[in-house]
Amino acid sequence: MPGIISGLSYFWGEQCNSEEALKKRSFQTYYKFFSNFLELSEGENISKKKEMGFHINNNNPDKTIKREKSQKKFKLYFKKNCKMFFNEAISINKTKVLLNNKRSIYGKKIILCAGLIGSTNLLKTICSDIDFRYYDHSPQIDLIYSKNINQNSDRNSIYSIVSKIYDKNYNIKYYLKYYPLKSLELLFFLGKIKFFLPKFILKYRFNLDNLYFIQKWDNNSFKEIRNDKTFFKYRFNKKQNFKKLDILYKKLKIFKIFSFRSNDDNFHFHNLRIIKNKKIISIENFLKKYNPSVYCLSLLAEKNINCLPPTFMNCLKTAIKIKKILK
């Protein structure tokens, strides 16, 4: 759980995606607890539109738990309700966990919430002859020009507008983030796109206030990452489909200059699977066979996620699963 909260604190996306949680009654109790405890502060709505059967919600970025007060509050909660060991877990053997100070701790049930690197390292101590496959979000990036984008949005943020696009039944279809070209944080992209930028933009012959980069996700915006010993391979398993979004751009008077897809990680690692003897095994079945005392939770255990940032929703799911395991 501390790892999940770290993700909430430092995640560049929109931390408090709560719409999915509110649709399910089983999440409402946990939603109320975490939203009150973390003092969730969702981004202010800029505009709502309906076009081509899509519902378009444009918000300013949220401001959730960037404050030092909220982070201290969470640390105090753990200190009060848990016995803390400020050490690195080195290995797991049945119900024993070896720490880096050479001490051992024991538990009838051991729950892994150690992020991708921590969890996979510990899984290798359960069975050394394994490799891994997992998924990550993988957006496309558009350079666009438009005079119709709300200039009153928060241009001091790393991105100024968050756009969620739903179908007529309010199922999420696209998730977009707008980065002003004049933003200093655009340096995040410059290493990737400087050779693509048209010369007239570089020479400031355009009004830069009307130029944005848009990061965009649909529900197929994933890549699979495979590791073979120390080598990593990336594979785009599903084809993204932004044809309707391109038509929607035209309706909204957004002119797309070019588009590209980066190999950079989004750090939304999920659907972790084990490769043993050239066979793919789910993380749940692997642990049932090799150490049933261990449970791997957090986002790594989620097989499917949609295009929205998953951090807050996964925080709720993990809390529910922990409660079931500890019954």
Side-chain angles (χ1 to χ4, degrees):
M1 190 66 73
I4 295 173
I5 299 308
S6 175
L8 282 171
S9 181
Y10 297 104
F11 181 48
W12 280 10
E14 189 182 37
Q15 291 100 327
C16 51
N17 274 300
S18 57
E19 296 124 350
E20 298 297 311
L22 293 177
K23 289 180 181 179
K24 300 180 180 181
R25 289 185 180 179
S26 59
F27 288 115
Q28 288 180 5
T29 301
Y30 294 91
Y31 169 79
K32 287 177 183 177
F33 170 78
F34 281 108
S35 59
N36 291 334
F37 186 86
L38 299 173
E39 303 173 23
L40 292 191
S41 176
E42 297 189 13
E44 180 185 357
N45 181 258
I46 299 171
S47 65
K48 291 185 178 181
K49 298 178 182 178
K50 188 174 180 180
E51 192 75 56
M52 291 173 50
F54 290 107
H55 299 274
I56 307 166
N57 292 349
N58 294 323
N59 295 339
N60 275 323
D62 70 54
K63 307 295 182 185
T64 303
I65 66 172
K66 293 290 184 184
R67 300 176 297 278
E68 188 177 348
K69 173 188 171 185
S70 297
Q71 296 175 37
K72 284 183 177 179
K73 187 178 178 183
F74 214 94
K75 289 177 183 178
L76 288 172
Y77 180 86
F78 270 92
K79 286 181 179 179
K80 183 179 178 181
N81 293 279
C82 307
K83 185 173 182 180
M84 306 287 286
F85 296 90
F86 297 95
N87 303 95
E88 181 183 352
I90 300 298
S91 66
I92 300 174
N93 183 5
K94 296 183 180 179
T95 59
K96 182 177 78 171
V97 179
L98 177 65
L99 303 179
N100 65 344
N101 62 355
K102 298 184 179 180
R103 286 184 61 193
S104 295
I105 57 176
Y106 296 82
K108 291 181 180 179
K109 296 178 180 181
I110 299 169
I111 297 171
L112 286 184
C113 286
L116 176 67
I117 295 173
S119 296
T120 52
N121 284 343
L122 287 170
L123 288 169
K124 273 188 169 288
T125 68
I126 295 173
C127 182
S128 60
D129 189 23
I130 56 174
D131 290 311
F132 304 98
R133 291 184 185 181
Y134 50 93
Y135 283 87
D136 187 17
H137 268 148
S138 177
Q140 282 193 22
I141 299 171
D142 296 334
L143 174 64
I144 64 98
Y145 174 83
S146 178
K147 293 181 179 179
N148 287 4
I149 294 172
N150 192 316
Q151 296 294 327
N152 295 322
S153 57
D154 184 4
R155 298 181 69 87
N156 294 320
S157 173
I158 186 170
Y159 50 91
S160 63
I161 300 173
V162 173
S163 183
K164 298 174 185 177
I165 302 176
Y166 303 86
D167 65 15
K168 61 181 181 181
N169 297 318
Y170 278 93
N171 297 308
I172 189 69
K173 290 298 178 183
Y174 304 107
Y175 176 70
L176 284 67
K177 292 193 294 186
Y178 291 70
Y179 294 77
L181 193 62
K182 292 181 74 173
S183 170
L184 289 177
E185 287 85 355
L186 189 63
L187 292 172
F188 175 68
F189 289 117
L190 284 181
K192 299 291 181 184
I193 53 84
K194 62 184 178 182
F195 298 110
F196 295 94
L197 286 173
K199 291 182 179 179
F200 65 85
I201 293 177
L202 294 176
K203 291 181 180 179
Y204 293 91
R205 292 180 182 175
F206 241 36
N207 182 356
L208 296 186
D209 283 338
N210 297 325
L211 283 165
Y212 288 79
F213 279 99
I214 294 180
Q215 261 187 313
K216 61 184 183 182
W217 293 258
D218 70 359
N219 289 323
N220 286 327
S221 294
F222 301 105
K223 65 181 178 184
E224 183 184 49
I225 305 169
R226 303 178 176 186
N227 85 304
D228 180 6
K229 306 304 178 187
T230 57
F231 297 98
F232 287 83
K233 295 180 181 178
Y234 296 88
R235 179 179 174 184
F236 299 113
N237 282 20
K238 296 181 179 180
K239 188 175 182 180
Q240 295 170 309
N241 187 350
F242 292 110
K243 289 181 180 179
K244 289 186 178 180
L245 183 62
D246 287 340
I247 298 171
L248 193 60
Y249 274 179
K250 293 177 181 178
K251 293 280 186 180
L252 299 174
K253 297 183 179 179
I254 294 174
F255 174 63
K256 183 171 73 174
I257 299 172
F258 67 80
S259 180
F260 70 98
R261 190 176 187 179
S262 171
N263 237 350
D264 291 340
D265 292 333
N266 261 206
F267 301 100
H268 298 163
F269 303 126
H270 63 285
N271 195 16
L272 177 66
R273 289 147 294 146
I274 309 298
I275 311 299
K276 184 169 175 58
N277 299 328
K278 298 183 179 180
K279 293 182 180 180
I280 301 175
I281 310 169
S282 71
I283 183 65
E284 185 178 4
N285 289 337
F286 171 80
L287 289 172
K288 281 180 180 179
K289 182 175 180 179
Y290 291 95
N291 193 338
S293 299
V294 178
Y295 301 83
C296 183
L297 301 186
S298 77
L299 194 59
L300 290 174
E302 291 294 320
K303 292 183 179 179
N304 300 298
I305 61 175
N306 61 26
C307 58
L308 291 172
T311 310
F312 181 70
M313 184 64 177
N314 184 248
C315 188
L316 305 184
K317 287 183 176 181
T318 299
I320 292 171
K321 288 177 181 177
I322 289 173
K323 187 175 181 179
K324 287 180 179 178
I325 290 169
L326 297 180
K327 276 185 177 180

